[in-house]
Amino acid sequence: MMSKPYVLITRKLPEDVIAPLSAIAEVEMWPHEDAAMPRDVLAEKAKRAAAILPMVSDPIDEGVLSACSALKVVANMGVGYDNIDVSAAARRGIVVCNTPDVLTDTTADLTFALLLATARRLVEAAEFLKEGQWKSWSPFLLAGADVHHKTMGIVGMGNIGQAVAKRAKGFEMNVLYYNRSRRPEAEKKLGAVYRPFFDLLAESDFVVCLTPLTPETRHLFNREAFRQMKSSAIFINAARGAVVDEQALYEALVHGEIAAAGLDVFEKEPVDPTHPLISLPNVVALPHIGSATHETRRAMMTLARDNIIAVLEGRPPLTPVNRPS
């Protein structure tokens, strides 16, 4: 009797989600939900894996892949996959999958919530109250910025970008966008207007970064980019931390080149609590929770699981991102 294929999962996931996979494979899960599998442990265990289900923070790079002799599929639990060396996987005939679509609306909700929280200084106001500083009403106490009728510039007009634009229209916002390719459907359906990158930065009251991390977009938001923005502009990043030069953003905020920032992602995660950006009163910082609802995270787990089952059973994966050679 042939042994079952070995599947490595880098976090503890609910047993009922994993049950269909356990029926056809030997599944090993890292026993911790809130602690990452150490890189050396991941690399060692991956050597005999037929499938890996990593989190977006787990590096599946050349060093890991080169030691894998049985690996058929890496099913990332996230729509982004910059943590995986996709080219190296393709050369070895390994399928890489992600979890698109199931998290679009949830991430768009969080992005807009982050924008509102930053514009209206909600976190700062909540702390102000808790610390007993509210002594009286005053005309400009914790006054923020209006969101309605303003101009939003979206950098990265994929599914999540379009979902954010849809929400912006409910606030009667003017929506501009910059993308590697034009999105005629978004222009027609949402009234979004294409702008070259620097033109978008100069015209927008809110600049929302939703672009994937690629070699071309790494540090796309640098010192020059921030200097193109209005001094009253608010920058929101719900994409990947490395799209932003964090030192340039810090300097832009400290020197008043832009007004505020809302960040769900950082270049190095988990972020050090002493990170300079977190100390600024005009920054709302979150721990990468864009897709963090019970419903959506279970949908992501299920899709990643189903991608693995499909490949192990010899069927096409549901959501591949590469074409192995």
Side-chain angles (χ1 to χ4, degrees), residues 106-107 110-111 114 118 209-210 235-241 246 261-267 269 271 283-292 297:
T106 300
T107 304
L110 187 280
T111 302
L114 183 57
T118 306
C209 176
L210 291 165
F235 175 69
I236 304 295
N237 187 13
R240 286 291 184 268
E246 292 179 344
L263 309 173
D264 186 41
V265 289
F266 291 84
E267 187 154 14
E269 296 179 354
V271 69
V283 171
V284 175
L286 304 178
H288 202 155
I289 58 169
S291 62
R297 287 289 168 86

Side-chain angles (χ1 to χ4, degrees), residues 4 18 50 59 65 74 76 85 135 159 186 196 205 216 246 252 271 287 308:
K4 291 181 177 180
I18 300 306
L65 294 170
V74 178
N76 218 35
D85 189 332
K135 305 302 182 183
N159 290 341
D205 300 300
E216 294 73 30
E246 292 179 344
V271 69
I308 291 174

Side-chain angles (χ1 to χ4, degrees), residues 52 84 99 120 136 141 146 157 166 178 188 256 267:
I52 303 173
I84 302 171
T99 59
R120 295 302 305 272
S136 67
L141 176 65
D146 278 334
M157 199 60 150
K166 182 178 178 181
Y178 169 76
K188 182 177 179 180
E267 187 154 14

Side-chain angles (χ1 to χ4, degrees), residues 3 22 81 89 107 147 175 185-186 196 198 204 210 222 233 237 247 270 287 295 298 303-304 311 314-315:
S3 60
S22 298
Y81 45 88
T107 304
V147 173
V175 177
E185 71 281 5
F198 284 128
S204 298
L210 291 165
N222 53 25
N237 187 13
Q247 181 61 35
E295 300 93 333
R298 286 184 68 90
L303 180 52
V311 172
R315 295 181 284 111

Side-chain angles (χ1 to χ4, degrees), residues 171-223:
F171 281 73
E172 300 183 57
M173 299 183 81
N174 176 41
V175 177
L176 309 178
Y177 80 96
Y178 169 76
N179 201 67
R180 184 173 55 182
S181 57
R182 293 284 289 267
R183 298 291 190 180
E185 71 281 5
E187 295 176 14
K188 182 177 179 180
K189 185 177 179 180
L190 300 169
V193 178
Y194 177 83
R195 286 285 191 274
F197 182 58
F198 284 128
D199 290 352
L200 178 146
L201 299 182
E203 295 179 40
S204 298
D205 300 300
F206 297 90
V207 175
V208 180
C209 176
L210 291 165
T211 188
L213 176 61
T214 67
E216 294 73 30
T217 63
R218 183 175 293 275
H219 287 191
L220 175 66
F221 287 92
N222 53 25
R223 184 169 285 102

Side-chain angles (χ1 to χ4, degrees), residues 13-14 37 74 98 144 150 154 229 247 289 300 317:
L13 304 183
M37 176 181 283
V74 178
N98 66 340
K150 295 290 185 69
I154 299 174
M229 296 184 195
Q247 181 61 35
I289 58 169
M300 294 165 66

